[in-house]
Amino acid sequence: MPSDFIPAGKGAEAFSAGSLAAARLLPPLARLLRPLVSLLIRAGITFPVLSDLLRQLYVEVAAAELDIDGAGPSRRRAPAARNVSRLSLITGLHRKEIRRLRALQTPAGDVVPAVVTLHSQLIARWLGGADTADAAGRPLPLPRLAAGDATGGPPSFERLVRGVTTDLRPRSVLDEWLSQGIATLDDDDTVRLLETAYVPRPGQDAQLFYFARNLHDHLAAAAANVLARDAAPFLERSVHYDALSPDLAARLVAGGAAAAERLLLDINRLALALLEQGGEPPPGAPTARVNLGVYLFHEPEPAQPLPATPGAGP
C-alpha cells in the first residue's frame, strides 16, 4: 500500500534535546545500526574492536560538545580534573578510562583520497560544461588531444584535465579511467565518458571515503532534525511504498534511479554556473560545503500469511 510523502519535521512530533528520552531512541537506533553491524561482521571487525572505537568517540564528541579543548569562543578554562569528571558523568566511563582514551588518537575518517578529488572534479566539469555535455546532461565525446593554443580552442580531454590539475599528465589520468571502465578510447582518438558519476570499485579507499562522508552527512542532518526545537533545519524526505509486486517494484526502482540522476546533473550544472559567476572565495574567507545526496533501496518483503477463509476448518 502507498505511504505518505512527509517533509522532515512536519506531520510528526518534534523533540528537543531535553525531551528526547533514551528509551524512545533505542528502538530506532537498533534498526539504524543493524546494516552497519552486518557490515562489521562480514568485514571481520569484532565487537571488542568496535567497543573501543565507540569509547574513544564518546569521549571525543562529549569533549567537543562541552568545548573542553577550547575550540569554541574563548572562556575561562576549567581545571583538568573537573573536565575529566564532567566527561565521566556524561559518557558513563570511569575517569581513569577517560584519561587513557584522551591520550589516544581517534582513527581519521575524513581524509580525502587524492583520486577522489581529481576524478569527481573532472567528471563534474565534463557533465556540467555547456560545450562538453548536451542539453540533457549527457557527456559529449572529446578528442584526446587539445587543438589550438594553450589558452583557447575547442574542448578536449587534455584541456579538461589541464583545467583541473597540472600535476598529472592527461594520458596517465586516461589510462586510469580506461582500466576502471570510466571511459573508452575510440580508434579515432576520441574519449567517451561511460560513467555519469564517479563510482569507485567496491572495497577501494575511494568507495570507503564516500561511504563515510555520505552516511555521516545524512545521519548528521537527521540527528539535527530530531534535536531541533522548532522547524527541522535540514531537508530529509523520502517516497516509500510497500506491498508491491516484484515487477512494479523494479519499474519504480528504474524510474527513481533515472529521476535521481537528472536531479544530480541539474544541481551539478547549477553549482558550476554559480562558481563561474561568483568565482572562488578569497584566501582566508569563511567557506561552507554542501552535500546533496540521494539513495534508493529495495528488498523483498517477508511472505505474509494468507487470510483465513471464512467458515474453513480442519
Side-chain angles (χ1 to χ4, degrees), residues 102-127:
R102 292 274 282 168
L104 300 177
Q105 183 175 2
T106 305
D110 55 356
V111 178
V112 184
V115 66
V116 167
T117 302
L118 176 63
H119 289 350
S120 60
Q121 285 185 349
L122 287 174
I123 293 176
R125 288 176 177 267
W126 195 332
L127 297 173

Side-chain angles (χ1 to χ4, degrees), residues 59-78 80 83-84 86-87 102 104:
V59 174
E60 176 189 305
V61 173
E65 292 283 339
L66 296 173
D67 195 24
I68 282 178
D69 295 321
S74 60
R75 57 177 174 79
R76 187 174 180 180
R77 191 71 59 84
N83 286 335
V84 171
R86 295 169 72 197
L87 289 175
R102 292 274 282 168
L104 300 177

Side-chain angles (χ1 to χ4, degrees), residues 2-314:
S3 71
D4 299 320
F5 179 64
I6 303 177
K10 296 180 180 179
E13 183 179 356
F15 304 104
S16 68
S19 65
L20 182 62
R24 302 175 68 184
L25 184 60
L26 287 178
L29 181 63
R31 183 178 185 183
L32 183 155
L33 290 176
R34 281 193 180 96
L36 180 59
V37 171
S38 176
L39 171 64
L40 296 175
I41 291 174
R42 290 171 178 266
I45 297 178
T46 61
F47 178 75
V49 174
L50 176 63
S51 176
D52 201 49
L53 176 60
L54 284 175
R55 288 168 180 263
Q56 289 179 255
L57 289 173
Y58 254 76
V59 174
E60 176 189 305
V61 173
E65 292 283 339
L66 296 173
D67 195 24
I68 282 178
D69 295 321
S74 60
R75 57 177 174 79
R76 187 174 180 180
R77 191 71 59 84
R82 185 185 305 172
N83 286 335
V84 171
S85 297
R86 295 169 72 197
L87 289 175
S88 178
L89 178 64
I90 291 176
T91 64
L93 297 172
H94 194 274
R95 286 176 295 178
K96 183 177 181 180
E97 180 73 351
I98 296 284
R99 294 188 184 93
R100 182 185 74 84
L101 293 172
R102 292 274 282 168
L104 300 177
Q105 183 175 2
T106 305
D110 55 356
V111 178
V112 184
V115 66
V116 167
T117 302
L118 176 63
H119 289 350
S120 60
Q121 285 185 349
L122 287 174
I123 293 176
R125 288 176 177 267
W126 195 332
L127 297 173
D131 55 355
T132 55
D134 63 18
R138 292 183 294 263
L140 299 174
L142 299 178
R144 181 174 67 88
L145 298 176
D149 56 33
T151 58
S156 67
F157 183 80
E158 181 181 33
R159 197 178 301 281
L160 182 73
V161 176
R162 294 298 186 199
V164 173
T165 178
T166 57
D167 296 333
L168 294 175
R169 296 173 54 207
R171 182 69 212 201
S172 299
V173 176
L174 177 59
D175 288 341
E176 177 67 16
W177 280 21
L178 295 176
S179 68
Q180 294 193 33
I182 298 176
T184 61
L185 182 62
D186 294 347
D187 293 337
D188 60 354
D189 215 26
T190 298
V191 184
R192 297 181 182 273
L193 182 65
L194 300 181
E195 297 285 351
T196 56
Y198 176 46
V199 182
R201 292 177 179 174
Q204 288 187 335
D205 289 343
Q207 188 199 42
L208 295 179
F209 165 76
Y210 282 118
F211 165 76
R213 187 198 65 178
N214 292 343
L215 289 184
H216 167 277
D217 289 355
H218 189 173
L219 186 55
N225 289 344
V226 170
L227 293 172
R229 296 184 180 275
D230 297 310
F234 293 105
L235 174 70
E236 192 204 3
R237 303 182 182 183
S238 68
V239 177
H240 48 101
Y241 284 77
D242 56 15
L244 302 174
S245 69
D247 177 67
L248 199 158
R251 292 164 60 187
L252 191 58
V253 166
E261 184 173 327
R262 289 194 300 270
L263 169 65
L264 296 178
L265 288 172
D266 288 345
I267 295 301
N268 176 60
R269 283 191 163 185
L270 174 62
L272 291 176
L274 293 175
L275 285 173
E276 290 179 0
Q277 295 173 11
E280 299 293 333
T287 60
R289 69 181 185 93
V290 175
N291 185 15
L292 171 64
V294 295
Y295 64 90
L296 180 61
F297 180 75
H298 66 98
E299 65 177 351
E301 292 181 317
Q304 299 294 327
L306 294 176
T309 302

